Amino acid sequence: MSLPEVVSRAQWRAAREELLLKEKAATRARDALNAQRRRLPMVEVDEEYVFQGGDGKATLPELFEGHRQLVVYHFMFAPEWEAGCRSCSAFLDQIGHLAHLKARDTAFAAVSRAPYPKLLPFKARMGWTVPWYSSYGSGFNRDFEVTLERDGELVERPGVSCFLRDGDRVFHTYSTYERGLDGLGSTTSFLDLTALGRQEEWEEPAGRASAFGAPAGSARVRYHDEYDF
């Protein structure tokens, strides 16, 4: 095994400060990229998708649970499989308390192509509480490019798609797949993919932090058992 070089504390500090300059530059570049992502156009979702969840059938607008935004994790679980994808399972394992996303008016749900009776026992085995829906029988997975046809066979890939609701209208704002999921899992990492972002005053484009007539994002943070929803 090749280990880092052993140096004095002063040498370590100098090397750390040099790296810090690059880390700050990367943070500024990430902020600029996130702002560019928030400026993407959006497309209205006209298809009336029907999902199956714990409370029965649900439409795409109902997956929002009354919130303005929705983040969907495309969990790889094909109808013929007996268990969900291991990597997708590891991804869901790291999801934190959803109250902090909901405080920014953003819902989260996992969606898979397998029938719901297959999802339910696997969800119980994994001990997950996140909303998980089956898109079995609909074109949702194909339309959002997570079920693809290759060499005459259907293959699955993981992804995240973001949606924005304006009254009864739903818009698709962003999707990313495979390596685009690297680093995701925290509340802020998901918000950075959405059209409204973290809803902080410093974010560009301006005017989205107060989209709900509420304080800017960080001012809304509470202990997860203190939110009033």
Side-chain angles (χ1 to χ4, degrees):
M1 182 184 296
S2 176
L3 298 177
E5 179 185 4
V6 178
V7 298
S8 67
R9 175 60 62 179
Q11 289 173 310
W12 180 88
R13 174 58 62 187
R16 178 67 190 92
E17 291 177 352
E18 181 181 354
L19 178 62
L20 181 59
L21 295 175
K22 296 181 179 180
E23 288 177 336
K24 289 185 175 181
T27 297
R28 290 190 291 270
R30 182 192 65 197
D31 288 344
L33 181 63
N34 289 339
Q36 185 175 355
R37 182 184 294 114
R38 289 189 291 273
R39 290 187 175 95
L40 280 173
M42 59 187 184
V43 59
E44 187 164 7
V45 180
D46 295 321
E47 184 73 24
E48 295 184 2
Y49 300 107
V50 178
F51 305 88
Q52 181 75 29
D55 295 326
K57 292 183 178 181
T59 63
L60 183 59
E62 289 173 326
L63 268 58
F64 283 74
E65 298 179 340
H67 295 290
R68 185 77 180 274
Q69 297 191 123
L70 169 67
V71 176
V72 167
Y73 178 63
H74 299 285
F75 189 109
M76 295 170 58
F77 198 147
E80 65 273 16
W81 297 0
E82 296 304 319
C85 164
R86 288 182 173 87
S87 295
C88 292
S89 298
F91 186 94
L92 275 197
D93 280 340
Q94 69 182 344
I95 302 299
H97 207 291
L98 296 183
H100 301 295
L101 271 175
K102 292 178 181 179
R104 315 289 176 100
D105 219 8
T106 303
F108 178 92
V111 174
S112 298
R113 198 161 57 93
Y116 190 72
K118 278 196 171 183
L119 304 183
L120 190 59
F122 188 71
K123 180 181 180 181
R125 171 188 167 188
M126 295 292 102
W128 296 326
T129 58
V130 299
W132 196 6
Y133 296 89
S134 167
S135 62
Y136 183 75
S138 80
F140 183 78
N141 279 46
R142 287 202 184 202
D143 291 348
F144 290 93
E145 302 178 31
V146 289
T147 298
L148 308 173
E149 186 170 343
R150 293 176 181 165
D151 300 325
E153 295 184 0
L154 295 181
V155 297
E156 309 289 320
R157 66 170 174 167
V160 164
S161 292
C162 300
F163 302 89
L164 178 70
R165 185 175 60 85
D166 185 13
D168 295 329
R169 302 173 70 189
V170 172
F171 300 89
H172 176 221
T173 60
Y174 182 74
S175 285
T176 188
Y177 310 97
E178 298 169 340
R179 287 296 304 276
L181 306 180
D182 287 359
L184 297 182
S186 66
T187 296
T188 53
S189 68
F190 286 131
L191 290 172
D192 283 343
L193 302 183
T194 67
L196 299 181
R198 304 183 191 189
Q199 300 149 45
E200 301 284 2
E201 295 291 355
W202 54 266
E203 287 182 310
E204 295 291 338
R208 299 185 187 179
S210 57
F212 316 112
S218 58
R220 282 179 256 168
V221 176
R222 302 285 185 270
Y223 297 111
H224 70 247
D225 60 354
E226 289 183 348
Y227 292 113
D228 56 358
F229 48 75

